[in-house]
C-alpha cells in the first residue's frame, strides 16, 4: 500500500518543481498505477491547478497538456483525423473507459512503461515533449532518458502530412499488450515503433530504403522481416521472445498494408 504524508496543489510550475526536488516527493497523474505501488510518499504533488488539462491546436501543431486524460485524447477529432484513427486505435483497449477517464497523458508518458500503447503511437509521430527545466526535446530522446526530478508539461505534435496505422496483440481485449506496433509515413520518411517488447517502445527507420518505391506486398514483407531482425525482444508471462519477434513481423506488415490501402 502507498502511504502519503502530505498532499499539495501548487499554484505554479516553479512551486511544483521545487517540491519535487525532495526524493520523497512524487507527482500525481491519474494515480492509477501509483496507487498500487508500495512505500511512503512524503509529498504528493497534484498539478490540477496549473492549466495543463487542455488540447490546443494551431496550424502547425497540436499541443496536449500533461493532465489531459487518455479519454479526452481518444475522442479528440483533430487527433483522430491527423493520425488516421491510429491514436484512437491505440488507446481504446487500455483497460476500460473508466480507467481512461482518469489516466493522464503525463503519467502515461513519464512512466515510459514497457507496455505503453501511448508511448508507441506518439513515438511514431513528429512529436516532442516540453520539460519544465529540460525544455523541448524529441519524444524519441525522452523515451531513452533515465528518470529525474523534472516535470513533463506537455506533448507537442508537429502537423505534417501524415499516413499512419497502429496494430497490437493482446491476450484479452483490455489486457496489457503482448506487442504494439505503429508505422507512419511523414515528410517522405517511414517510421516504425515497436513497444511491449516487453521493454520501452523503440523507434526505427527504413534505413535500407526497402519502401523507397512505396508499399507493395513484396516490400511490406521485406520491411517486416527487416524490422523483425532489428527489434530486440524478450519473454515474460505473456509471450516468449520468439513469439514477440514473429508478432513484430506480422503486425508491422499489417500496418504497412493498411497505409497502402488508405484504411
Amino acid at each position: 500500500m502507498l502511504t502519503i504524508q502530505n498532499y499539495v496543489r501548487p499554484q505554479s510550475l516553479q512551486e511544483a518543481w521545487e517540491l519535487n526536488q525532495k526524493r520523497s516527493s512524487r507527482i500525481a497523474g491519474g494515480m492509477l498505477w501509483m496507487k498500487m505501488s508500495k512505500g511512503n510518499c512524503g509529498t504528493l504533488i497534484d498539478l490540477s491547478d496549473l492549466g495543463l488539462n487542455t488540447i490546443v491546436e494551431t496550424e502547425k501543431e497540436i499541443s496536449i497538456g500533461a493532465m489531459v486524460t487518455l479519454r479526452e485524447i481518444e475522442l479528440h477529432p483533430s487527433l483522430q483525423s491527423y493520425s488516421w484513427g491510429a491514436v484512437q486505435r491505440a488507446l481504446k483497449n487500455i483497460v476500460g473507459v473508466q480507467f481512461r477517464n482518469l489516466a493522464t497523458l503525463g503519467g502515461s508518458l513519464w512512466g515510459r512503461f514497457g507496455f505503453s500503447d501511448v508511448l508507441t503511437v506518439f513515438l511514431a509521430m513528429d512529436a516532442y515533449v516540453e520539460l519544465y527545466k529540460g525544455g523541448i526535446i524529441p519524444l524519441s530522446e525522452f523515451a531513452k532518458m533515465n528518470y529525474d526530478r523534472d516535470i513533463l508539461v506537455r506533448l507537442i505534435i508537429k502537423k505534417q502530412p501524415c499516413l499512419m496505422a497502429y496494430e497490437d496483440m493482446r491476450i484479452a481485449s483490455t489486457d496489457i499488450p503482448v506487442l504494439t506496433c505503429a508505422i507512419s509515413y511523414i515528410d517522405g520518411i517511414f517510421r516504425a515503433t515497436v513497444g511491449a517488447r516487453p521493454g520501452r517502445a523503440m523507434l526505427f527507420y527504413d534505413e535500407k530504403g526497402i519502401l523507397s518505391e512505396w508499399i507493395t506486398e513484396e516490400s511490406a514483407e521485406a520491411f517486416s522481416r527487416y524490422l523483425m531482425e532489428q527489434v530486440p525482444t524478450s519473454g515474460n508471462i505473456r509471450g516468449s521472445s520468439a513469439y514477440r519477434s514473429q508478432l513484430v513481423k506480422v503486425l508491422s506488415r499489417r500496418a504497412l498494408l493498411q497505409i497502402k490501402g488508405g484504411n
Side-chain angles (χ1 to χ4, degrees), residues 1 8 10 21 41 53 64 67 76 120-121 169 185 219 232 263:
M1 183 176 71
V8 180
Q21 297 317 294
C41 172
N53 60 340
I64 309 173
M67 295 300 286
H76 195 275
T120 303
V121 71
M169 174 60 72
Y185 181 70
S219 66
N263 297 323

Side-chain angles (χ1 to χ4, degrees), residues 201-217:
M202 299 177 67
L203 174 63
F204 299 88
Y205 294 94
D206 181 20
E207 295 180 346
K208 292 191 174 182
I210 298 170
L211 302 170
S212 60
E213 300 298 322
W214 195 237
I215 304 168
T216 64
E217 290 283 346

Side-chain angles (χ1 to χ4, degrees), residues 120 122-128 138-140 158 160 162-165 181-194 202-206 211 223 227 255-256 259:
T120 303
F122 286 123
L123 195 57
M125 300 180 184
D126 186 13
Y128 302 78
L139 180 60
S140 56
K158 300 294 184 181
Q160 302 187 57
C162 172
L163 301 175
M164 194 170 180
C181 178
I183 292 183
S184 65
Y185 181 70
I186 300 174
D187 197 25
I189 298 173
F190 279 97
R191 304 166 184 242
T193 59
V194 179
M202 299 177 67
L203 174 63
F204 299 88
Y205 294 94
D206 181 20
L211 302 170
F223 183 76
L227 195 60
L256 283 169
I259 292 174

Side-chain angles (χ1 to χ4, degrees), residues 179 194 196-198 228 231-235 240-245 248:
L179 193 90
V194 179
R197 307 172 295 102
M228 180 179 68
V231 177
T233 61
S234 58
S240 66
S241 174
Y243 177 54
R244 281 191 166 90
S245 292
V248 172

